[in-house]
Amino acid sequence: MTSTPTPTATAPQADFSDITRSDATLRRFLHGLPGVDQVGAEARAAALGTRSIKTTAKDYAIDLAIRMVDLTTLEGQDTHGKVRALAAKAMHPDPADPSCPMTAAVCVYPDMVATAKEVLGTSGVNVAAVATAFPSGRAALDIKLADTQDAVEAGADEIDMVIDRGAFLSGRYKAVFDEIVAVREACGDAHLKVIFETGELQTYDNVRRASWLAMMAGGHFIKTSTGKVQPAATLPVTLVMLEAVRDFREATGQMIGVKPAGGIRTTKDAIKYLVMVNEVAGQDWLDPDWFRFGASTLLNDLLMQRTKMTTGRYSGPDYFTLD
Amino acid sequence: MSSPFEYAPAPESRSIVDIKPSYGLFINGEFVDGHGKAFKTISPSTEEVLSEVAEADEADVDAAVKAARRAYTRVWSKMPGRERAKYLYRIARIIQERGRELAVLESIDNGKPIKESRDVDVPTVAAHFFYYAGWADKLEYSGFGNGNPQPLGVAGQVIPWNFPLLMLAWKIAPALACGNTVVLKPAETTPLTALLFAEICQQADLPPGVVNIVTGAGETGRALVSHPDVNKVAFTGSTDVGRAIAKAVAGSAKKVTLELGGKAANIVFDDAPIDQAVEGIVNGIFFNQGHVCCAGSRLLVQESVADEVLERLKRRMSTLRVGDPLDKNTDIGAINSAEQLARIRELSDIGEAEGAGRWSPACDLPSNGFWFPPTLFTGVTQAHRIAREEIFGPVLSVLTFRTPSEAIEKANNTPYGLSAGVWTDKGSLILHMANQLRAGVVWANTFNKFDPTSPFGGYKESGYGREGGRHGLEAYLK
């Protein structure tokens, strides 16, 4: 059973007004964060990737990963039928095995939210919608806000927004910050995931700065990628983001979620991410409320490995539904 | 501390290794019985007896040196460099092929985690043989020996227990590449991989006598370095023994290289990439249980970030997994011997008695074997013994500084000078520090990285001469 992420109610909302006053104050703060050494960060990510996960730990990890999946379809060719099928799969990933957990959410374009919601009802699987002129984010603010409201009114529980990478890269941090604040406002009760498109931000220093910017602006989740730009999610990028949410909690008491998206296709990869969550951010983040996978093909590999764990045998792809 | 994500044990299988109940000495291409009393080698993680190993006495050492001399004059020194290279390449390839076997045996005999023997030691061993194989036919371009470099003759080599196979490679590969023959004595607590290497020499059809391996303790080593027909002595180990060796060979024509102790400073500036610096501190002191002569055992951290670094370091140390060296998820294995454990305990107790703050993460240590938790000491000053003496264990002393010049002064204020580390985002500061630090190796934004192409060696009581790289050839050429 997946619940909607709840911001830690006990922690007082941190006050960043001095930092977020202007581009200059934001720049001073963001550029004052400890740098990220590329070689070191990649080496650490690679080292965590060599943890050997067997039997009981693997059992646990596979079910947890399934519960963390935001089952996603973000194609121009999406139809209502396709989204209905996807939503049905999110509720019953493995129809042959009722013990198989549900995914966290179904992630679709705003015009598909109502369709997904209709199928999912009160199942507990959330509907996430990408909004704000996804994936490029190149539209006027009122259009982005309208896009967001549209999705929320259609029943979206979660909004995945993209940041304005052009503004970020040209140092207009205040514009990015204000936009996130405005979208968060437009979200109402829906939870906001802020997508950085880390493949376009290029450096780990930028990833760390974007993480802090989004966290200070009130994002509930920080997310690596749209899935439309290569490279999408990578282990080192996720490492830097996990360090950021860990440090943010240390500083403010608030927990922020992390969602790598794009390119995570195998159980083996998913487990590497979980190991990293466990050892970098800590076990508190080993929960669908605080960690998600944005993925479409990952689920079937998880199901195949799950069947292997229970039956001892591999079954072919035909034993699992397409979507 | 219990996490829902408790990794199940993932032990590497021992069945790939065939440990014989007893081993002889490897002389002239064959295993022969030693004249001394056989001694036992145990697994430090379980105290289980692994095998009996022959002890070489003076007569055995003499036989080994004679075999090496014969091989030197009749075969090896006359062989063209490109032919010697073929043997070295062959050895390197066999090491790769038998890499898992070597890694498992190393972890059993030494106590180091399989993760390190498999991912660091063995690949670097193979890389050393490959690298020096490449030099064997290019020695006249090395810049040594006036354009016509010649080998020295028979090399007597004594190596320590912390990296049994890697130190063997550091010693044997350049010696053989240059046309010398060798008699090598591995440490008495970790002889097994050297004996497996002897089998690899047989498998590679290395001419008999080119490599000889004599096992034993201090007496055997003494007999080897003082043997009159040894032309070159190479030693890695403690400064005390190094001093004794220097005395023993003084006045003779023997060439000597010594790689001795260290008390390296790992210097963290306030603009450092903190998360990676924390990784580097962990790798600097807890890699191989701190049994590393170039370990970053003194952390010098700028006062303005000291609290933050310490807090992060403690959190990171809490995730270190201590236990069975053969478990692929183990980060820290066993202390190599009871003697070494006693020394680590003694010095740690002294640190506490002198007023430094001792901290270790909560961790369950196995009941058998020799174990010491990762430990750090805060509030350490230059006057503390734990800041001056080499502990050779997973014990970190934390000191602070305020300015770069203070960092340099403190870092250099040690009888040793093997290595140092600098962590800062500022390139100019890295270069400035590297020029000022009196240490053979200075790592920038990393620590404990080894590569066959990069020379290694220390100042002051850390020894003399270089190993590795082109510089490493000099010690084996005239």
Side-chain angles (χ1 to χ4, degrees):
Chain A
M1 172 75 193
T2 308
S3 59
T4 311
T6 41
T8 35
T10 48
Q13 203 71 19
D15 180 18
F16 298 106
S17 51
D18 280 352
I19 296 167
T20 58
R21 210 168 46 234
S22 67
D23 278 338
T25 53
L26 267 170
R27 184 169 57 249
R28 266 202 292 282
F29 175 78
L30 296 175
H31 289 247
L33 293 167
V36 184
D37 184 78
Q38 184 190 336
V39 177
E42 289 172 358
R44 172 77 175 134
L48 284 168
T50 64
R51 283 279 188 237
S52 191
I53 302 301
K54 301 267 183 239
T55 56
T56 50
K58 194 172 175 188
D59 258 342
Y60 169 82
I62 289 175
D63 276 12
L64 180 62
I66 292 173
R67 296 199 298 127
M68 286 173 165
V69 166
D70 281 2
L71 198 58
T72 302
T73 182
L74 296 170
E75 301 296 334
Q77 60 187 349
D78 284 348
T79 61
H80 293 285
K82 158 109 181 168
V83 170
R84 267 187 217 107
L86 199 73
K89 174 146 186 173
M91 290 190 292
H92 309 288
D94 186 352
D97 181 359
S99 75
C100 180
M102 295 186 291
T103 69
V106 166
C107 183
V108 294
Y109 275 116
D111 63 326
M112 290 295 173
V113 168
T115 307
K117 198 71 198 170
E118 189 188 309
V119 180
L120 294 168
T122 57
S123 64
V125 178
N126 283 347
V127 177
V130 293
T132 69
F134 181 93
S136 70
R138 304 223 76 101
L141 180 60
D142 50 356
I143 293 174
K144 293 182 183 177
L145 295 179
D147 197 16
T148 307
Q149 269 149 12
D150 187 29
V152 172
E153 275 160 25
D157 307 290
E158 302 170 6
I159 297 295
D160 291 24
M161 77 169 284
V162 288
I163 64 162
D164 182 341
R165 283 87 77 192
F168 183 91
L169 289 171
S170 58
R172 289 185 288 119
Y173 299 124
K174 175 84 174 136
V176 181
F177 178 84
D178 288 344
E179 202 168 278
I180 300 172
V181 170
V183 175
R184 158 97 198 245
E185 192 82 3
C187 281
D189 288 339
H191 281 248
L192 177 63
K193 305 197 195 99
V194 184
I195 306 174
F196 302 146
E197 200 65 292
T198 52
E200 291 182 351
L201 298 187
Q202 305 252 339
T203 70
Y204 297 126
D205 284 334
N206 276 344
V207 172
R208 176 165 290 180
R209 289 167 191 157
S211 301
W212 276 84
L213 196 60
M215 294 188 292
M216 290 190 295
H220 298 105
F221 255 83
I222 51 177
K223 176 175 166 184
T224 62
S225 328
T226 61
K228 306 289 183 193
V229 168
Q230 286 302 319
T234 65
L235 284 167
V237 156
T238 311
L239 171 77
V240 172
M241 288 165 60
L242 286 166
E243 287 169 353
V245 295
R246 179 197 67 195
D247 294 349
F248 191 77
R249 179 164 76 165
E250 204 86 340
T252 67
Q254 282 172 252
M255 259 175 92
I256 307 288
V258 177
K259 177 177 170 184
I264 305 161
R265 294 195 175 81
T266 64
T267 303
K268 206 171 167 186
D269 279 346
I271 289 177
K272 286 181 186 175
Y273 280 90
L274 293 182
V275 166
M276 192 181 265
V277 172
N278 189 33
E279 296 202 31
V280 176
Q283 63 185 67
D284 289 353
W285 268 266
L286 285 175
D287 186 293
D289 282 359
W290 306 114
F291 196 78
R292 296 279 181 86
F293 291 107
S296 47
T297 50
L298 169 64
L299 182 59
N300 268 17
D301 193 63
L302 287 167
L303 295 175
M304 219 169 337
Q305 295 298 330
R306 194 175 186 277
T307 312
K308 161 74 166 49
M309 297 295 287
T310 46
T311 66
R313 283 178 298 278
Y314 276 107
S315 41
D318 286 347
Y319 289 80
F320 300 95
T321 54
L322 284 172
D323 48 40
Chain B
M1 268 278 292
S2 108
S3 159
F5 198 16
E6 268 307 329
Y7 312 145
E12 175 64 81
S13 166
R14 284 181 62 152
S15 63
I16 188 164
V17 178
D18 172 31
I19 303 176
K20 296 186 181 69
S22 70
Y23 288 88
L25 311 168
F26 184 65
I27 296 175
N28 206 32
E30 278 166 21
F31 283 98
V32 298
D33 293 337
H35 292 95
K37 199 166 164 277
F39 63 96
K40 292 179 170 64
T41 183
I42 65 166
S43 161
S45 61
T46 61
E47 300 178 58
E48 163 203 5
V49 175
L50 298 171
S51 184
E52 276 211 345
V53 179
E55 186 189 330
D57 69 0
E58 244 173 83
D60 297 318
V61 169
D62 185 56
V65 173
K66 282 206 169 82
R69 175 63 60 195
R70 229 170 13 247
Y72 174 75
T73 43
R74 293 188 190 166
V75 187
W76 200 246
S77 67
K78 288 183 179 159
M79 192 184 279
R82 62 174 186 280
E83 293 300 317
R84 290 199 305 270
K86 287 180 191 170
Y87 285 103
L88 288 171
Y89 278 124
R90 198 182 291 164
I91 289 171
R93 285 194 303 268
I94 298 172
I95 287 168
Q96 287 183 323
E97 280 162 18
R98 302 180 68 170
R100 207 163 132 234
E101 190 182 346
L102 287 163
V104 171
L105 186 60
E106 192 81 318
S107 283
I108 294 174
D109 200 23
N110 170 281
K112 66 172 67 196
I114 184 77
K115 203 171 85 172
E116 288 173 8
S117 53
R118 176 194 68 193
D119 298 345
V120 181
D121 293 40
V122 171
T124 317
V125 168
H128 268 271
F129 279 97
F130 278 121
Y131 176 75
Y132 280 109
W135 268 115
D137 61 348
K138 304 174 193 70
L139 295 173
E140 59 266 47
Y141 308 109
S142 67
F144 300 120
N146 294 326
N148 183 26
Q150 296 300 315
L152 301 173
V154 173
Q157 307 177 320
V158 179
I159 59 171
W161 46 260
N162 58 340
F163 292 93
L165 200 54
L166 185 59
M167 292 301 106
L168 173 149
W170 280 26
K171 296 280 183 288
I172 290 184
L176 261 48
C178 293
N180 304 277
T181 55
V182 306
V183 179
L184 176 126
K185 187 197 89 67
E188 67 269 31
T189 61
T190 56
L192 294 185
T193 41
L195 295 166
L196 182 53
F197 179 80
E199 286 177 25
I200 289 174
C201 292
Q202 287 178 327
Q203 193 185 341
D205 272 331
L206 192 70
V210 173
V211 169
N212 304 276
I213 291 172
V214 291
T215 44
E219 279 308 314
T220 309
R222 204 165 293 133
L224 178 56
V225 298
S226 55
H227 193 286
D229 201 29
V230 163
N231 305 96
K232 147 90 191 174
V233 171
F235 172 76
T236 296
S238 73
T239 296
D240 285 345
V241 177
R243 226 179 256 127
I245 290 175
K247 277 185 193 146
V249 300
S252 74
K254 288 172 189 168
K255 268 199 163 196
V256 187
T257 45
L258 301 172
E259 296 286 0
L260 309 174
K263 193 72 191 175
N266 206 356
I267 305 166
V268 179
F269 285 96
D270 59 6
D271 67 338
I274 298 282
D275 288 309
Q276 287 74 48
V278 167
E279 283 308 310
I281 295 163
V282 167
N283 187 40
I285 185 62
F286 300 123
F287 176 64
N288 201 34
Q289 297 75 246
H291 299 332
V292 185
C293 44
C294 53
S297 50
R298 283 184 300 153
L299 173 64
L300 294 180
V301 56
Q302 199 157 8
E303 244 176 54
S304 50
V305 288
D307 290 344
E308 190 185 344
V309 167
L310 266 177
E311 194 182 307
R312 284 166 187 251
L313 180 60
K314 287 179 176 175
R315 184 172 52 205
R316 175 67 178 91
M317 281 169 69
S318 303
T319 66
L320 289 170
R321 303 170 68 88
V322 185
D324 180 4
L326 284 187
D327 188 326
K328 292 168 202 163
N329 290 327
T330 290
D331 297 314
I332 297 187
I335 301 301
N336 184 254
S337 65
E339 294 72 37
Q340 187 57 28
L341 180 60
R343 177 171 165 78
I344 297 169
R345 283 186 175 149
E346 185 198 339
L347 277 163
S348 301
D349 291 346
I350 289 170
E352 227 173 331
E354 285 176 337
R358 179 177 185 159
W359 185 88
S360 290
C363 60
D364 298 327
L365 301 176
S367 45
N368 282 337
F370 315 126
W371 302 91
F372 197 84
T375 298
L376 68 78
F377 278 100
T378 51
V380 179
T381 72
Q382 291 289 97
H384 283 116
R385 266 182 77 188
I386 50 170
R388 309 206 66 78
E389 289 180 33
E390 188 179 38
I391 300 176
F392 222 63
V395 181
L396 177 67
S397 298
V398 184
L399 299 90
T400 58
F401 69 91
R402 290 157 297 179
T403 61
S405 55
E406 189 185 347
I408 291 163
E409 266 177 26
K410 282 187 168 168
N412 288 342
N413 180 222
T414 165
Y416 295 109
L418 192 53
S419 67
V422 179
W423 298 82
T424 166
D425 248 11
K426 203 165 190 168
S428 57
L429 183 57
I430 288 173
L431 297 177
H432 172 72
M433 296 296 290
N435 279 330
Q436 304 289 317
L437 289 166
R438 304 296 290 163
V441 182
V442 179
W443 283 292
N445 290 334
T446 189
F447 209 92
N448 269 346
K449 287 278 178 283
F450 304 99
D451 189 280
T453 63
S454 124
F456 183 92
Y459 286 81
K460 300 191 276 188
E461 292 204 6
S462 288
Y464 34 89
R466 293 282 182 274
E467 292 186 286
R470 184 187 70 90
H471 302 71
L473 297 166
E474 188 178 15
Y476 289 96
L477 291 172
K478 62 183 174 202

